[in-house]
């Protein structure tokens, strides 16, 4: 799975050749990809590009996050030509406008936006989202020239839930035995699930879980970290943890647990279930919720995973996260949880400064831990 | 080189009085037993007016901070609290002012509750979440789904349910009943004010234009903050009279007007005077701005006020696709005989700025009118470099010459 995570496009292109199936790109953890799956389409998450921006500069200003900038750049460089469609959820302002820019520049490509509500925990949001999903479904069906049966969608929901349970099991195992698996591998596994048909991924993951279960528990005294933030797709940073002998025990990342946590009840109208799933998942900061308190959620995660500190990884120019950060930091301080903010970009930058800061942070935690 | 100032608009002093009275009223609200709510600039203020709550606009206050060049100082306060320098400078100024009471008017009165509608951006959602925690007051939230293609009936229903929810929430906060008839009346007044504002702006279709967008940026305060009240109607009536008089007499906002421009995005508040003078020197009049027009689009006719408000606010200018925005700009270019478009690529406002490159291309393709993109920020002077902006504006106007001459 690490190979797939490192070379996702190669995997996807091979899949396409092997099966003759279609592939759609999507953004964020909010697109109801189950619908694509139900129609036999492979949903593939677009997570930016590691190359420096060249062509997107004449469409997107430099003060927009690099996920948005490099993704459009990859498309303009024709790196994503193997995609049969690109779909967007409504999440942040930048993704919202990217959708319009994309659709204007690639008019031939099938594309649509599922405009999710921003307020996720009012009853009227569910009604609205169910209608919006149905609207997309009809358009998608017209494009495919075939209907998606309720039973097909239900089946996909079950397949997705199974995958989510398996990923949740992986996280539980890691909390228990963080030395058994590296932080990088865990993120690779989650990432691979964004490029594979979920049933294929679940099968591989089950094997990995079996192996992990047999690894003995080792009571070592490594510094235990929780990762918090948006996208973390930089192996450079993950390797630093290993280098510094700190273990990652849990995360609240949009390329980590926020992608898969929350599993829906397994009966009822599939469209409703789908709407519920995206409204009840752990909300991303771009969503508004009256009841969910991200600060408490994070503190609880730290307590439950017996972490020593939190590393906050924020992509530069990400408004939703940047607005939440000060109060999160304040709360962690009040609860005496050490934390470190690291600003990231999608394109790998020099890691030296990060290494120095992370090293100091981990050293401090070590001292604190071992007295 | 002629006069470096536009002739003075007399209605301006009346507006100053109105705004001072309004801010004074807001400041003294507690003493007068009145409630204050902070509201976003695209929020359905009619709800508040119908409930006799004084609306206060952090964005308008932010503009004041910008004009008086307090932006950097207030932003820094927020930055020291951990708010990134990359966040909207209105939000940073507001947070900076809220925690210190600093601002040209010594801060805004504390809110009893907040009303946030995300029809202008996702920033306000996050900003008002911050305010709700900071002041520990209730937040009335109205989620208006973005319109990429068409407004769906499902979306209208969704917004309506939230308006009804908001009304209930306000009833419980204020301990009094919501008066639907009053609301209807306020919505009607507000709709009238919006169309009057539109008519006022449309006077700039005249050649020469009697008012420039620089005047407009100042004269827009009442439509932003006080729509739904009668005094706004009276005010814009007076303003219209004055401008019509100018049109009759051929008085130009920019003496010797040669070029007619459209401004996209917010003003650069801290550079208003310099820019205005620059354009006068260049004989170029900013005859319209998408920002000004944003408040001319609230169609509040219709018998059911909740329905009318839902539809009007959900289709706010920046709540629709960039294609839609480009089409509206095309209408302005054509209707106002615009020669060139200046896009303020505003670092603070991502939803308004992201897409300008493509809009520029669309406009040139459809109308032949060229555009210029200048990088700046509405409030944060620290990211603004004067030299390049001025040089590029000069060069741009120079390129308009041949076209203009061909037309005359
Ligand atoms: S990283 Fe932040 S700004 Fe970028 S797409 Fe994600 S939510 Fe939006
Ligand atoms: S991001 Fe833009 S629309 Fe939103 S508050 Fe800031 S300036 Fe206004």
């Amino acid at each position: 799975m690490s190979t797939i995570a490192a070379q996702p496009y190669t995997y996807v292109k091979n899949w396409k050749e092997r099966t003759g199936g279609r592939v759609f790109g999507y953004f964020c953890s909010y697109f109801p990809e189950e619908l694509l799956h139900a129609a036999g389409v492979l949903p593939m998450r677009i997570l930016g590009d590691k190359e420096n921006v060249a062509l997107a500069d004449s469409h997107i200003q430099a003060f927009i996050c690099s996920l948005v900038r490099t993704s459009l750049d990859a498309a303009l460089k024709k790196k994503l030509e193997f995609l049969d469609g690109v779909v967007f959820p409504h999440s942040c302002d930048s993704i919202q406008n990217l959708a319009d820019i994309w659709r204007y520049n690639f008019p031939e490509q099938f594309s649509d936006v599922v405009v999710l509500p921003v307020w996720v925990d009012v009853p009227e949001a569910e009604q609205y989202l169910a209608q919006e999903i149905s609207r997309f479904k009809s358009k998608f069906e017209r494009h495919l020239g075939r209907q998606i049966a309720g039973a097909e969608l239900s089946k996909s929901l079950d397949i997705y839930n199974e995958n989510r349970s398996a990923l949740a099991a992986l996280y539980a195992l890691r909390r228990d035995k963080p030395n058994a698996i590296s932080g990088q591998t865990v993120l690779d596994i989650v990432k691979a699930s964004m490029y594979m048909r979920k049933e294929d991924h679940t099968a591989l993951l089950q094997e990995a879980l079996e192996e992990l279960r047999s690894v003995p528990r080792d009571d070592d005294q490594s510094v235990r970290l929780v990762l918090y933030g948006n996208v973390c797709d930089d192996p450079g940073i993950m390797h630093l943890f290993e280098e510094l002998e700190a273990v990652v025990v849990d995360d609240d990342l949009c390329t980590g647990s926020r992608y898969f946590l929350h599993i829906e009840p397994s009966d009822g109208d599939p469209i409703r279930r789908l709407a519920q799933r995206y409204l009840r998942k752990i909300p991303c900061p771009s969503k508004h919720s009256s009841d969910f308190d991200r600060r408490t959620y994070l503190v609880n995660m730290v307590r439950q995973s017996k972490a020593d500190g939190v590393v906050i990884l924020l992509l530069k120019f990400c408004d939703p996260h940047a607005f939440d950060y000060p109060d999160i930091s304040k709360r962690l301080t009040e609860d005496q949880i050490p934390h470190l903010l690291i600003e990231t970009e999608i394109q790998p930058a020099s890691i030296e400064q990060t290494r120095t800061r992370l090293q100091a942070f981990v050293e401090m935690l070590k001292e604190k831990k071992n007295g | 080189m002629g006069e470096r100032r536009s002739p003075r608009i007399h209605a301006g002093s009346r507006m100053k009085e109105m705004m001072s009275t309004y801010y004074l009223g807001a400041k003294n609200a507690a003493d007068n037993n009145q409630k204050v709510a902070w509201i976003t600039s695209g929020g359905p203020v009619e709800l508040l007016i119908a409930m006799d709550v004084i609306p206060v606009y952090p964005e308008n206050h932010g503009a004041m901070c910008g004009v008086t060049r307090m932006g950097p100082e207030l932003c820094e306060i927020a930055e020291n609290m951990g708010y990134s320098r990359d966040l909207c400078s209105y939000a940073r100024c507001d947070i900076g002012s809220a925690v210190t009471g600093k601002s040209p008017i010594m801060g805004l009165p504390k809110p009893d509750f907040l009303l946030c509608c995300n029809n202008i951006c996702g920033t306000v959602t996050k900003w008002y979440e911050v305010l709700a925690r900071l002041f520990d007051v209730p937040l009335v939230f109205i989620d208006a789904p973005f319109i990429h293609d068409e407004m769906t009936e499902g979306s209208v229903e969704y917004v309506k349910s939230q308006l009804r929810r908001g009304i209930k929430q306000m009833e419980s906060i204020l301990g009094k009943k919501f008066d639907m008839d009053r609301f209807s009346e306020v919505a009607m007044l507000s709709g009238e004010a919006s169309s009057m504002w539109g008519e006022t702006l449309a006077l700039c279709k005249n050649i020469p234009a009697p008012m420039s967008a620089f005047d407009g940026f100042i004269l827009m305060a009442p439509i932003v903050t006080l729509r739904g009240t009668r005094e706004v109607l009276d005010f814009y009536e007076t303003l219209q009279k004055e401008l019509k008089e100018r049109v009759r007499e051929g008085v130009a906002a920019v003496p010797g007007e040669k070029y007619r421009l459209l401004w996209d995005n917010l003003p650069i508040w801290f550079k208003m005077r310099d820019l205005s003078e620059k354009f006068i020197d260049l004989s170029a009049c900013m005859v319209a701005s998408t920002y000004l027009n944003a408040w001319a689009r609230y169609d509040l006719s219709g018998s059911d006020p909740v329905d009318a408000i839902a539809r009007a606010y959900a289709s706010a200018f920046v709540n629709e696709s960039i294609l839609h925005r480009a089409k509206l700009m095309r209408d302005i270019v054509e209707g106002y005989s615009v020669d060139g478009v200046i896009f303020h690529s505003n670092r603070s406002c991502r939803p308004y700025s992201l897409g300008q490159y493509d809009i520029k291309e669309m406009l040139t393709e459809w109308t032949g009118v060229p555009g210029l993109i200048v990088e700046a920020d509405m409030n944060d002077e620290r990211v603004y470099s004067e030299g390049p902006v001025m040089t590029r504006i000069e060069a741009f106007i120079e390129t308009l010459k041949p076209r203009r001459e061909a037309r005359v």
Side-chain angles (χ1 to χ4, degrees):
Chain A
M1 282 189 274
S2 290
T3 326
I4 299 172
Q7 305 279 332
Y9 298 167
T10 313
Y11 173 83
V12 169
K13 284 184 210 159
N14 286 341
W15 178 88
K16 213 177 151 171
E17 228 161 73
R18 200 169 69 230
T19 62
R22 299 192 218 202
V23 182
F24 273 33
Y26 72 93
F27 284 86
C28 299
S29 59
Y30 269 103
F31 191 83
E33 48 177 302
E34 290 88 333
L35 266 178
L36 306 180
H37 183 273
V41 170
L42 175 65
M44 180 199 104
R45 177 119 170 226
I46 301 177
L47 271 177
D49 198 75
K50 303 286 176 201
E51 256 182 60
N52 280 334
V53 170
L55 302 175
D57 272 334
S58 46
H59 300 269
I60 299 187
Q61 290 93 333
F63 53 76
I64 303 297
C65 87
S66 52
L67 173 64
V68 165
R69 273 164 62 76
T70 61
S71 295
L72 184 73
D73 200 53
L76 292 169
K77 285 174 178 160
K78 302 196 191 307
K79 285 176 154 186
L80 298 175
E81 274 192 318
F82 59 93
L83 295 179
D84 301 288
V86 174
V87 284
F88 300 80
H90 187 274
S91 54
C92 67
D93 290 338
S94 300
I95 289 289
Q96 166 190 296
N97 289 22
L98 172 69
D100 286 340
I101 295 172
W102 198 291
R103 295 170 82 198
Y104 175 65
N105 285 283
F106 303 98
E108 307 296 321
Q109 193 175 48
F110 175 86
S111 175
D112 199 23
V113 189
V114 172
V115 186
L116 284 105
V118 170
W119 197 356
V120 289
D121 55 359
V122 273
E124 53 265 35
E126 186 183 316
Q127 170 73 15
Y128 162 69
L129 181 54
Q131 284 176 344
E132 177 63 7
I133 290 176
S134 303
R135 183 200 59 76
F136 170 76
K137 180 167 166 275
S138 309
K139 181 173 169 181
F140 180 47
E141 287 172 334
R142 273 198 305 280
H143 172 72
L144 294 177
R146 86 167 187 74
Q147 304 283 107
I148 299 167
E152 285 177 303
L153 185 53
S154 293
K155 190 166 163 232
S156 293
L157 287 164
D158 294 340
I159 291 173
Y160 268 67
N161 284 346
E162 213 184 311
N163 188 254
R164 288 177 185 131
S165 308
L167 286 167
L170 172 71
Y171 270 57
L173 269 168
R174 180 204 16 209
R175 262 194 303 277
D176 193 36
K177 297 187 272 196
N179 288 301
I181 185 163
S182 78
Q184 176 68 50
T185 310
V186 170
L187 286 185
D188 282 349
I189 293 173
V190 180
K191 187 173 170 190
S193 82
M194 300 165 184
Y195 295 88
M196 299 172 72
R197 290 279 293 180
K198 288 286 193 276
E199 51 274 47
D200 298 345
H201 185 263
T202 308
L204 282 184
L205 179 52
Q206 294 298 3
E207 284 171 32
L209 288 175
E210 269 320 300
E211 267 177 53
L212 266 179
R213 285 196 186 99
S214 62
V215 176
R217 192 138 149 226
D218 133 15
D219 280 320
D220 98 318
Q221 289 303 306
S222 300
V223 163
R224 297 166 68 93
L225 297 174
V226 159
L227 304 184
Y228 168 80
N230 35 32
V231 280
C232 175
D233 188 27
D234 185 349
I237 292 183
M238 295 306 293
H239 283 138
L240 283 181
F241 296 127
E242 273 160 62
E243 190 185 310
L244 299 168
E245 290 170 5
V247 293
V248 176
V249 287
D250 209 342
D251 75 48
D252 182 23
L253 294 169
C254 86
T255 49
S257 77
R258 254 202 324 280
Y259 173 62
F260 63 83
L261 277 188
H262 187 76
I263 292 142
E264 263 316 296
S266 53
D267 51 9
D269 170 49
I271 300 275
R272 281 275 166 178
R273 279 175 62 195
L274 196 51
Q276 286 166 3
R277 141 78 188 151
Y278 286 91
L279 295 173
R280 292 180 191 171
K281 81 192 259 303
I282 302 299
C284 147
S286 68
K287 296 292 173 204
H288 176 67
S289 156
S290 334
D291 290 334
F292 178 76
D293 182 348
R294 194 171 308 284
R295 298 163 297 171
T296 306
Y297 176 74
L298 185 57
V299 168
N300 289 343
M301 179 181 277
V302 170
R303 300 284 183 242
Q304 270 163 25
S305 60
K306 302 193 182 60
D308 303 303
V310 180
V311 175
I312 302 176
L313 298 163
L314 293 189
L315 208 59
K316 191 165 167 62
F317 301 118
C318 172
D319 293 340
H321 273 91
F323 268 110
D324 278 356
Y325 166 74
D327 280 343
I328 285 188
S329 163
K330 195 167 147 218
R331 174 66 185 277
L332 291 174
T333 306
E334 280 163 11
D335 285 37
Q336 293 170 342
I337 299 170
H339 53 284
L340 175 73
L341 171 68
I342 295 177
E343 204 169 63
T344 63
E345 296 270 12
I346 293 282
Q347 312 94 310
S350 147
I351 204 101
E352 282 321 307
Q353 218 200 339
T354 309
R355 174 184 279 121
T356 316
R357 295 184 57 220
L358 206 57
Q359 196 161 16
F361 182 64
V362 172
E363 287 305 325
M364 184 268 287
L365 293 181
K366 263 188 204 154
E367 264 171 45
K368 205 171 157 223
K369 186 172 185 139
N370 304 320
Chain B
M1 206 163 292
E3 183 57 60
R4 291 196 87 214
R5 288 282 165 84
S6 296
R8 215 169 70 93
I9 292 178
H10 300 286
S13 42
R14 165 113 186 258
M15 186 199 77
K16 269 194 195 134
E17 267 166 48
M18 243 170 94
M19 295 306 289
S20 316
T21 315
Y22 154 65
Y23 271 110
L24 207 65
K27 286 266 196 186
N28 295 331
D31 295 340
N32 299 328
N33 250 333
Q34 272 196 292
K35 299 288 182 206
V36 169
W38 288 16
I39 177 171
T40 52
S41 67
V45 65
E46 295 78 7
L47 293 174
L48 299 179
I49 300 199
M51 288 290 256
D52 284 319
V53 173
I54 303 184
V56 161
Y57 290 79
E59 290 158 78
N60 179 256
H61 183 235
M64 284 201 266
C65 299
V67 170
T68 51
R69 310 189 74 158
M70 289 187 72
E73 179 189 347
L74 294 172
C75 284
E76 264 166 40
I77 298 167
E79 287 156 16
N80 290 334
M81 293 166 71
Y83 291 96
S84 159
R85 252 182 109 135
D86 302 322
L87 289 172
C88 166
S89 53
Y90 273 175
R92 278 179 289 149
C93 282
D94 179 49
I95 293 168
S97 170
V99 295
T100 57
K102 282 188 190 169
S103 94
I105 56 165
M106 308 298 283
L108 289 175
K110 298 247 177 307
D112 295 290
F113 67 98
L114 306 161
L115 175 52
C116 171
C117 179
N118 64 357
N119 59 348
I120 49 170
C121 63
T123 280
V124 288
T125 304
K126 302 307 294 178
W127 170 7
Y128 276 62
E129 286 176 5
V130 170
L131 293 176
R133 291 193 292 263
L134 189 68
F135 290 114
D136 194 19
V137 292
L139 168 60
V140 179
F141 186 68
I142 308 287
D143 175 17
F146 191 81
I147 304 170
H148 284 281
D149 294 304
E150 249 133 57
M151 182 155 69
T152 63
E153 284 309 303
S155 155
V156 174
E157 277 313 311
Y158 173 51
V159 178
K160 281 163 72 175
S161 329
Q162 291 173 83
L163 286 170
R164 288 191 286 263
R165 168 184 297 279
I167 289 172
K168 284 221 187 76
Q169 198 184 344
M170 283 179 20
E171 284 180 330
S172 92
I173 295 169
L174 299 166
K176 66 175 183 190
K177 275 223 79 53
F178 187 81
D179 180 345
M180 262 307 158
D181 294 332
R182 176 87 205 285
F183 183 50
S184 274
E185 212 181 284
V186 173
M188 233 177 58
L189 284 177
S190 188
E192 269 173 53
S194 179
S195 41
M196 267 196 97
W197 173 242
E199 285 163 21
T200 313
L201 294 176
L203 289 172
C204 291
K205 290 180 179 171
N206 287 291
I207 301 178
M211 169 176 93
S212 84
F214 290 102
D215 302 314
F217 292 145
I218 304 294
L219 295 165
M220 75 191 289
I223 188 68
V224 177
T225 55
L226 295 168
R227 61 183 184 279
T229 65
R230 280 216 184 269
E231 25 170 359
V232 170
L233 291 176
D234 297 341
F235 170 69
Y236 286 116
E237 209 174 274
T238 317
L239 176 61
Q240 269 193 26
K241 261 198 209 123
E242 188 179 342
L243 295 179
K244 281 181 183 154
E245 191 63 41
R246 279 192 175 190
V247 171
R248 243 190 320 274
E249 288 169 6
V251 176
V254 167
E257 172 195 297
K258 269 205 209 104
Y259 307 104
R260 299 169 63 81
L261 307 173
L262 163 62
W263 179 271
D264 184 52
N265 212 306
L266 278 74
I268 305 173
W269 291 117
F270 54 89
K271 275 286 152 196
M272 285 273 281
R273 168 162 303 172
D274 293 357
L275 280 170
S276 158
E277 287 174 359
K278 181 84 202 168
F279 285 109
I280 290 172
D281 287 350
L282 295 165
S283 309
C285 182
M286 204 65 77
V287 294
S289 158
T290 52
Y291 186 57
L292 297 173
N293 273 70
W295 278 270
R297 300 186 61 248
Y298 293 115
D299 175 8
L300 290 172
S301 47
S303 52
D304 173 1
V306 174
D307 186 78
I309 293 272
R311 286 175 200 277
Y313 283 87
S315 51
F317 177 66
V318 275
N319 207 38
E320 293 205 49
S321 73
I322 63 170
L323 181 65
H324 178 85
R325 264 160 57 192
K327 286 182 182 158
L328 287 174
M329 288 177 77
R330 175 184 58 194
D331 295 345
I332 297 180
V333 165
E334 287 166 355
Y336 289 72
S337 321
V338 165
D339 304 304
V341 184
I342 298 193
F343 294 86
H344 167 201
S345 165
N346 181 357
R347 205 169 186 284
S348 264
C349 188
R350 289 188 241 288
Y352 209 156
S353 305
L354 178 51
Q356 283 173 320
Y357 284 88
D358 287 87
I359 293 180
K360 173 172 165 277
E361 197 180 295
M362 292 178 211
L363 279 179
T364 308
E365 191 186 311
W366 297 338
T367 66
V369 168
L372 171 74
I373 295 186
V374 291
E375 296 286 340
D377 187 283
M378 72 231 170
N379 264 20
D380 192 346
E381 293 184 46
R382 297 166 302 172
V383 298
Y384 178 73
S385 41
E386 172 114 315
V389 171
M390 292 298 188
T391 318
R392 297 193 60 216
I393 288 176
E394 271 169 32
F396 179 67
I397 303 282
E398 195 59 32
T399 62
L400 299 179
K401 224 179 213 167
R403 273 176 57 94
R404 186 77 220 164
E405 277 159 7
R407 223 201 266 186
V408 184

